[in-house]
Amino acid sequence: MVVRRRVRTVLMPLGLWTVSALVVSYFVYQAENGSRGLEAKRAVKEQAFGLIRELAAAKADRAVWEHRVALLRSEQIDRDLLEERARVVLGRVHANDVVIIDP
């Protein structure tokens, strides 16, 4: 009987400490590597940073195109010049144009 009490007095706290340590280690692991942990937070921040850079590039591209369109909306532009410039930019030719290829 005395031996059982001594074993119980040693094993009970040891078991409780072990279970407590396992629970704490589980939560620490999940806080670091879980789907909502620190690693996931870093990945989301990197993705957000990349999207912000992509958005800035798209805004700059849009500003360039808006400037070009604003230049085309001017009352001074000639339709023939506009058509000629569009053909050069798009690489198209009119059906009645004669194309001479330089060797």
Side-chain angles (χ1 to χ4, degrees):
M1 282 283 202
V2 174
V3 174
R4 281 189 177 174
R5 280 190 185 172
R6 286 188 184 169
V7 169
R8 202 179 291 164
T9 58
V10 171
L11 288 182
M12 283 299 274
L14 184 64
L16 289 176
W17 280 101
T18 304
V19 169
S20 299
L22 288 174
V23 169
V24 167
S25 64
Y26 170 77
F27 283 116
V28 168
Y29 176 79
Q30 289 300 323
E32 179 67 30
N33 298 321
S35 62
R36 296 182 181 167
L38 296 175
E39 291 293 326
K41 185 177 180 180
R42 279 188 215 113
V44 167
K45 281 187 178 182
E46 288 176 8
Q47 183 181 12
F49 182 69
L51 290 174
I52 289 171
R53 284 189 299 175
E54 187 177 330
L55 177 64
K59 283 184 178 180
D61 192 34
R62 180 183 173 119
V64 168
W65 280 105
E66 284 180 352
H67 177 69
R68 287 182 177 180
V69 169
L71 291 176
L72 291 176
R73 286 189 182 148
S74 174
E75 299 298 327
Q76 303 169 3
I77 194 161
D78 186 29
R79 289 186 179 260
D80 292 332
L81 292 174
L82 174 62
E83 184 179 351
E84 180 183 341
R85 185 66 190 145
R87 286 183 188 173
V88 169
V89 170
L90 298 175
R92 302 279 183 157
V93 293
H94 192 268
N96 295 332
D97 286 347
V98 177
V99 178
I100 300 173
I101 301 174
D102 256 348

